[in-house]
Amino acid sequence: MSGRAQLMWDEAVTGYDFGPGHPMDPVRLALTWGLVSAFGLDRAVDVVAAKPAGDSTLRLVHREDYIEAVKAASADPGAADQSYGLGTVDDPAFAGMHEVSALIAGQSVGAAEAVWRGDVDHAVNFAGGLHHAMPGAASGFCIYNDAALAIARLLELGAERVAYVDVDVHHGDGVQAAFWEDPRVLTISLHEHPRTLFPQTGWPQEIGAGAGEGGAVNVALPAGTGDAGWVRAFHAVVPELVADFRPQVLVTQHGADTHFEDPLAHLAVSLDAQRAVQVACHELAHEYAGGKWVALGGGGYEVVDVVPRSWTHLVGIAAGREVAPETVVPEAWRQEVFARTRQLGPGRMTDGRWPVGWAAWEVGYDPADRLDQAVLATRRAVFPLRGLLA
């Protein structure tokens, strides 16, 4: 294996645009690429533009009638069939929707293929992580589920164990649904509690079914959870399960919408805690998955202050060129931010909370604490099914 990382990038992914005023502003992708380039990280990785996912690949997860509905809406947005979740407030139809959605999916599939072949250790597609799309419907700003498609492609290539870890503020419901009964895939999602956030799923009692029972893991975090609780919950659940499962590939989703500035959710996580979990995922890949790591973006709607910095840290970690939290943001990029958005960009690559402090689960827990109650609920629901102590 080369040890080099691959960054999937095609400027055409910025055409994934639901229109003015929609939270999923594609400027977040352009600004992330700009910041990655400003730090020279594009020279520390292999930048690759994969081909769009073809119909046979899309059918690994999505129903044929749904793919045809997306194509029809793409050709004539005014005739979108809302029974497929298309043409709705969350997922407005737009010209070229199928083509750009398939392009984003193709980047994640291409990332998975490169890692599986051993061309690279790590591959990043920050335009991906569209984890809500269902086999037969669009949902939550997601048309095609590139994360599930990447995993399905790994299985098609012969992978027997793939672990998926999703730290987006929203439950990774579409990926969970795709592999609900498949024992080859372990899905772990840490998210805001479904009582207070879309998609109102991801309860700890959702554990998979049939041969896949115990293969779906959900940590439903109380609204308001901050750095110490979020990182504690991650380490109280994820490493032990990944160590037990011993995946051949680790696929992770790094939605930046856990951040305290995000306008669509209610966690209070800093950029520094997001970076800490990115580092932890990288370490897990090397410790338990032979270094094979596919890292995806996801949600994130504070498109200037948060998303570009968070995913630039992710690229740096994958490239072996970590950007130190105290690093000053390049002035040329801040000028690009102002030119594109008329906003002032952040000055440093930190929220001032590095290093992030948290208490390990092994040193004890408080059954009266809401965060610890959430972790306990997950451990009790899943760990015994996997032969682990709750």
Side-chain angles (χ1 to χ4, degrees):
M1 201 175 281
S2 73
R4 193 169 171 88
Q6 188 163 291
L7 176 61
M8 315 304 296
W9 178 251
D10 184 325
E11 190 176 358
V13 299
T14 60
Y16 193 80
D17 187 353
F18 291 114
H22 193 283
M24 186 76 100
D25 188 336
V27 75
R28 67 197 199 120
L29 302 179
L31 290 178
T32 300
W33 170 252
L35 189 55
V36 165
S37 301
F39 278 115
L41 295 175
D42 56 326
R43 298 188 296 277
V45 296
D46 298 326
V47 179
V48 174
K51 64 182 181 180
D55 286 7
S56 62
T57 298
L58 294 173
R59 286 197 299 268
L60 292 174
V61 168
H62 294 290
R63 296 200 319 251
E64 188 164 3
D65 60 313
Y66 173 62
I67 298 168
E68 292 306 314
V70 174
K71 289 180 180 178
S74 185
D76 183 1
D81 188 340
Q82 292 197 7
S83 69
Y84 289 102
L86 302 168
T88 62
V89 172
D90 273 3
D91 298 284
F94 59 92
M97 180 171 65
H98 163 75
E99 289 76 11
V100 70
S101 300
L103 180 64
I104 291 173
Q107 306 315 302
S108 293
V109 171
E113 290 172 343
V115 168
W116 182 254
R117 285 193 305 261
D119 296 348
V120 291
D121 283 339
H122 314 323
V124 180
N125 177 25
F126 58 74
L130 305 178
H131 59 169
H132 293 307
M134 291 293 176
S139 178
F141 314 160
C142 304
I143 306 302
Y144 293 138
N145 195 319
D146 64 283
L149 287 163
I151 295 168
R153 179 61 175 144
L154 288 167
L155 299 178
E156 187 179 50
L157 291 171
E160 297 174 348
R161 294 180 312 283
V162 179
Y164 173 74
V165 177
D166 187 320
V167 296
D168 193 288
V169 78
H170 301 92
H171 177 224
D173 56 340
V175 183
Q176 175 180 284
F179 305 105
W180 185 246
E181 298 185 20
D182 194 332
R184 298 173 297 173
V185 182
L186 173 69
T187 65
I188 308 173
S189 178
L190 284 80
H191 47 265
E192 185 179 329
H193 201 286
R195 283 198 194 95
T196 53
L197 194 66
F198 174 90
Q200 283 78 51
T201 58
W203 299 79
Q205 295 79 19
E206 296 173 33
I207 57 172
E213 186 179 46
V217 183
N218 289 289
V219 187
L221 300 168
T225 296
D227 287 2
W230 192 66
V231 178
R232 172 175 167 83
F234 177 93
H235 284 282
V237 173
V238 178
E240 193 171 350
L241 289 170
V242 171
D244 171 68
F245 191 65
R246 300 202 72 84
Q248 292 160 295
V249 184
L250 179 66
V251 180
T252 57
Q253 196 269 21
H254 297 273
D257 42 9
T258 51
H259 196 272
F260 55 78
E261 289 185 12
D262 196 89
L264 299 189
H266 318 97
L267 294 191
V269 172
S270 73
L271 183 82
D272 300 289
Q274 292 176 348
R275 183 184 185 278
V277 164
Q278 293 166 3
V279 169
C281 287
H282 179 223
E283 291 172 349
L284 288 173
H286 279 284
E287 191 163 359
Y288 301 114
K292 292 182 183 293
W293 183 33
V294 177
L296 308 174
Y301 309 101
E302 209 320 307
V303 300
V304 170
D305 269 3
V306 178
V307 173
R309 289 190 297 163
S310 186
W311 293 346
T312 296
H313 277 303
L314 180 65
V315 173
I317 291 162
R321 286 265 307 274
E322 291 189 22
V323 179
E326 65 274 10
T327 304
V328 173
V329 172
E331 181 58 29
W333 181 78
R334 298 184 80 230
Q335 292 175 8
E336 179 189 355
V337 167
F338 189 78
R340 286 180 177 271
T341 69
R342 315 314 288 178
Q343 296 182 46
L344 297 176
R348 293 183 183 271
M349 292 295 287
T350 178
D351 285 333
R353 298 186 183 182
W354 189 268
V356 177
W358 56 279
W361 188 255
E362 292 74 18
V363 301
Y365 59 85
D366 178 0
D369 180 83
R370 292 175 66 219
L371 186 281
D372 285 2
Q373 288 172 356
V375 171
L376 274 172
T378 300
R379 291 180 63 98
R380 288 171 176 166
V382 175
F383 277 46
L385 294 173
R386 307 202 66 88
L388 303 172
L389 294 176

